[in-house]
Amino acid sequence: MSVVTGVRPRRSLGKVWRRRIGLGLTYLALAGLSLLFLIPLFWLFTSSLMPLSQIGKWPPEWIPEPVQWENYTKALKFWHFGRSFKNTAIITVFSMIGELLSCTLVAYGFARLRFPGREPLFVILLSTMMLPFAVRMVPMYIGFSKLGWVNTFLPLIVPAFFGNPFYVFLLRQFFLTIPEELVDAARIDGASEFNIWARIMLPLSGPAIIVVSIFSFQAAWNDFIGPLLYLNDERLHTLALGLYTFTAMPGQGSLYNQLMAASVLMVLPMLIVFAIFQRYFVQGVTLSGLKG
């Protein structure tokens, strides 16, 4: 008995240390990868504060010397940032509202309603993700042109109210994790399907809705091809188009420090949104993949 009691603590102590060393190496590798992926963002921010002569140096210098905050004010003087920001915000907000409304409704139907052909229809819906935008671009432009929507925000907003197959798939996966008994109890109490969607499914799907909101925000905020196709009037240009035309302005095309400052101003709202909702974003992605 004395031999057995003397060996077991040493074995368990070895396992504990091996586990700690393994976790330490894992965290170290993850921290290294995180720093690696942050290098472009760090370079974007530091180069936005550098003198123009410092950006082109080799080997590259990472710390601006001296720090030039006026790069931001100079960039804003040549760029209608406020107007482009307002246009982008209008398109982004209405696109998010449209996609959240349509995608949650369609996802609820595929997750909780039983009707003939549900599974084949869902497969057809998912198969539309394989159609690249380049294939749909010309017929969509002709259609919107005949409707007289070119040079308005409508071609960039209205399609969002007809759903997005990837967001429908993501939300359906999350809705399937909500107990069926909860929905059945609401039906027995006389709740309509719309009430179940609005008063039960949506309040319980916060993480998944935040994930879809962030994806939708990022797609609309950074969209370049859509505004380039439909918005000819400079007063309607978005931030992505404004950033592109900034490089074509006389005397601005080679001012990379001001171009970097304008780029920082464009990506800053997206970074703030992601930083605020990061915890819910990770939770939503994790829960949406639990049940297929």
Side-chain angles (χ1 to χ4, degrees), residues 40-50 69 71-72 75-76 79 81 85 221-222 239 243 246 256-272:
L41 192 62
F42 178 74
W43 170 250
L44 174 68
F45 180 69
T46 55
S47 59
S48 70
L49 299 173
M50 288 180 182
W69 291 101
N71 289 341
Y72 286 85
L76 290 175
W79 187 22
F81 180 80
F85 186 92
W221 192 268
N222 288 335
L239 285 173
L243 190 62
F246 177 87
Y256 296 110
N257 51 355
Q258 295 181 25
L259 179 62
M260 293 297 180
S263 302
V264 169
L265 292 173
M266 180 180 168
V267 302
L268 197 58
M270 201 161 49
L271 293 177
I272 293 173

Side-chain angles (χ1 to χ4, degrees), residues 224-246:
F224 175 73
I225 298 296
L228 183 65
L229 277 175
Y230 301 117
L231 303 179
N232 302 320
D233 191 341
E234 189 183 351
R235 292 171 298 178
L236 300 176
H237 280 186
T238 59
L239 285 173
L241 272 184
L243 190 62
Y244 171 72
T245 54
F246 177 87

